[in-house]
Amino acid sequence: MALGVQIEKEGIAVSVVAETRPTLLLFLRNEEAPRLCVPFPEDARFGKVYSLRLGFRELREAGFRGAALKSAEYQFEAGGQRFADPYGKSFSGHDSFGKPLKEETAKRSPLFLSEFSWEEEGAPKVNPRERVIYRLHVRGFTAEKSSGVIQRGTFDGIAEKIPYLRSLGVTTLELLPAEEFEELPFGAERVNYWGYGKTFHFAPKASYCRKRQRDPAGELRSLVKALHAAGMELVMEFYFDGSERVDYVLEVLRYYRSFYHLDGARLSGSFPLRDILRDPYLKGFLLFAEERPAESGESFYCCDRAFQREMRRFLKGDEGLVPAVLSYSRREPDTPPRVNYLAHTDGFTLADLVSYERKHNEANGEGNRDGSNENFSWNCGVEGKTKRRQILACRAQQRRNAFLLLFLSQGTPLFLAGDEFGNSQDGNNNAYCQDNAVSWLDWKQATKEAESVDFVRALIAFRRAHPALGRQTPPLFLDVDAVGRPDVSYHGERPWKAETEPFRRQLGILYSGHYAKSENGEADNSLFCIYNMHWEAHSFSLPYPEKGTAWHLAIRSFGEVPHCLEVGAEEVLADQSSFLLPGRSIVVLIAKPLPAETKTKRTKKRQGDSNGR
């Protein structure tokens, strides 16, 4: 018999693990005293697992009939102590986030979950090359009034933001732990805002639901249904502390896949990854973890922090990083796909990464001793907030550089909610206990930083439009079709030779459009991505584009707006042989055919030059 409560044809079956003989307590909603107390029979015990069955007739005789039965709740008692069902599928009470728990408090679970119709819902088919992950905290995403949603800080609040997320180009949402964790257990001095700790994994968090109608299971399913209708995926983070049995972990993941139609799971803490990857019920289920296993399936992604560390260092101009940047421009053979990010939950937001050189965690109450001291950040000349235009312009350019490093690298890009409009945590790089404006997104920033949001939106669209970016197979670095250039090539300030000496901070990567086909077999445009993280300008000699084409400027991180030009609006370079790239800048050049009249003028000019000689 499965642990927890199972609804059967004639009644309910209940199983629970207990050290001493337990009692099932049944309540009517909002009543303090139980209406029915049923001890578990000793003769139905197997090891430490106690089981019992109750028929609907018995329940009706105890007053649980009709609406009362549908709203019945339960918990257990053993040794004089009440406790919640570890396998409870939902919980009532403690619906306000951050509300202190009393020592004797135990959560209660409803016997029945609300009915739900999936209708014609189906899982979206996201092309792995086009997957873009947006990581958010359910409460912090819309808790602020400026979010403009009706159901702030809830699963429904996320659903209200789907039009924004879809317009941004996001394909996949990744939620921080949203199962029923104890955000302020008895005796705790600080709120557990992030959700890493003791968790009732089978139940979505009740305080992440609308206040007047607490239905965590129904609200989470509604969010999944709405996201799928918009062609988007939902991944939830599951934290395990290592005390859970293998079968428990597997059952949790299977349950969320089958009952909630979840698309994947981000695994954190301590968990049996090998068993998870081998579980037949989880084949095709997206799985994300920092660990890199010896064996992995097609749906496993490695969340390697090395990208964050090395790209942050390159962004601020450290030496010796060119080889690392080159390695992230390709997928290595026989390795699982990689998730890349520059900012994550623990650490600076992207805006703080370019505004602070030191952590500022005083508000956490730990004397600024908590949080990492290795942030690899640069404040552009001033620590923290400033009104100096030159500093603000530098920070905006560095944020654009960061997004370009992320989206031009091979791997699945992930960015934090709010990074697209410069969300700040005032230098706090460990806001685990900040259930306030420090962690909540200020959506007024999205209006103030509209150009930044537009840049990220256009950058995502550009990546999606060009198969050369985000390719799923390792490059060969060969010209197997004899078209005049290899599929991928590395360059320095002079073409065809990467300069990787420790003092170098500049490089170029050429992606041949011929070797980057779209799904319909059409060749992509060739792209030349040039990076200069030195604080001085450098002149790059350009490799020749394909015959009949010329280099056009498509994206730039420097200068005035626009920074990511629309398709058809790319600017042809007047000088096709070299490009002077300002300090701390990145550009993307695209090889496009010239208009016929431009070709004629260039032909006449070449003929005139020849006659003159």
Side-chain angles (χ1 to χ4, degrees):
M1 180 183 293
L3 292 171
V5 171
Q6 310 296 322
I7 307 299
E8 299 179 339
K9 185 177 181 180
E10 301 297 330
I12 63 171
V14 187
S15 293
V16 64
V17 176
E19 295 292 334
T20 60
R21 184 185 180 190
T23 297
L24 173 67
L25 309 179
L26 288 172
F27 302 79
L28 287 179
R29 183 175 295 173
N30 299 324
E31 288 190 355
E32 293 294 328
R35 285 289 186 97
L36 185 62
C37 302
V38 185
F40 282 74
E42 280 286 354
D43 58 2
R45 178 171 65 91
F46 295 91
K48 294 183 179 180
V49 179
Y50 291 82
S51 303
L52 66 78
R53 279 184 166 82
L54 276 178
F56 288 131
R57 180 178 178 181
E58 296 173 79
L59 292 169
R60 286 194 296 268
E61 290 175 353
F64 295 97
R65 59 172 63 89
L69 177 62
K70 291 293 185 182
S71 64
E73 299 175 342
Y74 74 96
Q75 60 185 196
F76 303 111
E77 185 178 61
Q81 296 292 324
R82 293 184 180 182
F83 62 97
D85 182 3
Y87 286 75
K89 304 302 189 294
S90 182
F91 290 100
S92 60
H94 314 299
D95 298 335
S96 298
F97 192 89
K99 182 179 179 181
L101 299 179
K102 298 179 181 178
E103 187 172 14
E104 69 277 6
T105 299
K107 298 177 184 290
R108 285 156 43 169
S109 296
L111 275 179
F112 295 89
L113 297 180
S114 61
E115 296 181 356
F116 187 82
S117 174
W118 288 100
E119 299 177 309
E120 299 299 321
E121 177 269 349
K125 296 181 179 179
V126 175
N127 186 331
R129 187 187 70 77
E130 299 176 359
R131 183 170 283 123
V132 176
I133 304 174
Y134 190 81
R135 181 171 167 84
L136 61 89
H137 187 285
V138 175
R139 178 168 169 81
F141 186 55
T142 60
E144 244 278 342
K145 289 182 180 179
S146 60
S147 66
V149 305
I150 298 173
Q151 302 297 335
R152 295 179 1 228
T154 67
F155 294 118
D156 276 359
I158 298 173
E160 293 183 58
K161 284 290 186 181
I162 288 178
Y164 168 80
L165 296 168
R166 192 175 183 183
S167 72
L168 195 60
V170 170
T171 66
T172 308
L173 296 192
E174 180 178 293
L175 309 184
L176 270 75
E179 306 85 64
E180 193 60 63
F181 62 86
E182 293 186 4
E183 66 270 22
L184 198 60
F186 179 77
E189 296 181 359
R190 302 177 184 88
V191 66
N192 175 19
Y193 176 72
W194 286 348
Y196 301 111
K198 181 182 178 182
T199 303
F200 295 91
H201 290 96
F202 288 91
K205 189 150 188 62
S207 60
Y208 288 172
C209 300
R210 61 176 68 184
K211 294 182 179 180
R212 295 185 179 180
Q213 185 180 347
R214 297 295 187 185
D215 180 14
E219 200 161 316
L220 178 56
R221 286 186 286 183
S222 293
L223 174 59
V224 174
K225 182 178 178 180
L227 286 169
H228 285 183
M232 300 172 66
E233 301 169 321
L234 183 64
V235 171
M236 288 176 59
E237 182 172 1
F238 293 86
Y239 171 80
F240 299 101
D241 62 16
S243 65
E244 302 89 354
R245 301 184 308 277
V246 172
D247 61 336
Y248 174 89
V249 174
L250 294 177
E251 192 172 344
V252 168
L253 299 179
R254 292 170 184 171
Y255 177 70
Y256 275 87
R257 185 181 193 185
S258 62
F259 188 79
Y260 289 104
H261 295 196
L262 210 65
D263 300 288
R266 168 70 161 89
L267 304 170
S268 60
S270 180
F271 45 86
L273 182 57
R274 181 178 179 182
D275 297 279
I276 294 170
L277 293 173
R278 291 183 174 183
D279 185 53
Y281 291 99
L282 298 175
K283 295 299 180 184
F285 192 54
L286 296 174
L287 294 167
F288 303 86
E290 290 188 16
E291 182 179 342
R292 179 172 293 185
E295 304 174 16
S296 61
E298 295 181 357
S299 56
F300 176 78
Y301 288 75
C302 181
C303 306
D304 192 351
R305 287 179 178 266
F307 179 92
Q308 179 190 51
R309 179 178 63 253
E310 293 170 340
M311 285 300 198
R312 281 186 172 192
R313 292 182 59 205
F314 183 65
L315 177 67
K316 75 187 190 75
D318 283 357
E319 289 187 339
L321 273 301
V322 169
V325 177
L326 292 176
S327 72
Y328 292 123
S329 71
R330 61 181 182 266
R331 179 176 173 182
E332 301 293 344
D334 303 320
T335 60
R338 185 178 60 235
V339 172
N340 299 327
Y341 54 86
L342 275 93
H344 212 259
T345 305
D346 54 336
F348 281 150
T349 65
L350 193 58
D352 288 352
L353 182 67
V354 299
S355 303
Y356 297 89
E357 291 190 358
R358 304 181 303 277
K359 64 184 182 183
H360 296 268
N361 299 353
E362 291 83 2
N364 295 352
E366 299 186 48
N368 205 31
R369 293 183 298 273
D370 62 303
S372 175
N373 293 316
E374 295 182 341
N375 296 295
F376 307 110
S377 59
W378 178 52
N379 62 18
C380 296
V382 173
E383 184 74 359
K385 295 180 180 179
T386 182
K387 294 183 178 180
R388 292 171 57 181
R389 292 184 178 181
Q390 184 178 2
I391 301 297
L392 294 176
C394 177
R395 291 175 179 177
Q397 183 165 318
Q398 283 290 81
R399 282 166 46 203
R400 289 191 291 271
N401 285 332
F403 272 110
L404 280 164
L405 289 174
L406 179 65
F407 283 99
L408 295 180
S409 297
Q410 303 294 347
T412 299
L414 176 150
F415 64 101
L416 280 179
D419 275 353
E420 71 273 21
F421 50 75
N423 176 63
S424 172
Q425 293 182 166
D426 299 328
N428 193 322
N429 74 350
N430 189 38
Y432 72 96
C433 58
Q434 298 297 325
D435 178 35
N436 49 46
V438 172
S439 295
W440 298 354
L441 297 194
D442 179 5
W443 285 89
K444 294 189 294 292
Q445 278 290 111
T447 301
K448 295 178 182 177
E449 296 282 350
E451 191 278 328
S452 178
V453 176
D454 289 342
F455 176 76
V456 175
R457 180 182 291 116
L459 190 54
I460 293 174
F462 186 86
R463 177 185 171 95
R464 185 189 309 117
H466 293 283
L469 303 175
R471 59 189 293 169
Q472 300 296 295
T473 56
L476 298 176
F477 300 104
L478 298 172
D479 182 14
V480 294
D481 292 342
V483 296
R485 63 190 59 212
D487 53 352
V488 177
S489 54
Y490 298 147
H491 307 255
E493 293 183 59
R494 298 292 177 266
W496 306 108
K497 183 181 179 180
E499 298 165 320
T500 58
E501 298 92 338
F503 65 88
R504 301 285 185 183
R505 297 173 176 85
Q506 53 275 351
L507 69 147
I509 304 176
L510 177 60
Y511 299 95
S512 170
H514 174 82
Y515 293 103
K517 302 288 197 304
S518 61
E519 291 183 356
N520 62 9
E522 184 177 346
D524 193 6
N525 301 88
S526 290
L527 303 175
F528 190 42
C529 306
I530 316 177
Y531 306 77
N532 178 21
M533 289 298 104
H534 196 206
W535 42 89
E536 297 177 354
H538 285 262
S539 180
F540 291 79
S541 296
L542 303 179
Y544 289 113
E546 290 92 342
K547 185 178 180 180
T549 68
W551 290 120
H552 292 63
L553 178 63
I555 304 174
R556 62 181 177 184
S557 66
F558 65 92
E560 301 298 324
V561 294
H563 295 99
C564 193
L565 303 178
E566 296 180 0
V567 176
E570 299 94 345
E571 301 170 356
V572 62
L573 300 185
D575 184 354
Q576 290 285 309
S577 61
S578 65
F579 191 97
L580 181 63
L581 186 57
R584 302 191 190 278
S585 298
I586 301 173
V587 296
V588 179
L589 307 182
I590 184 170
K592 298 187 67 175
L594 287 169
E597 59 181 76
T598 306
K599 291 180 182 178
T600 302
K601 289 180 181 178
R602 290 199 168 192
T603 301
K604 289 181 178 179
K605 183 178 184 301
R606 285 197 296 269
Q607 290 175 346
D609 292 342
S610 177
N611 294 334
R613 288 194 294 270

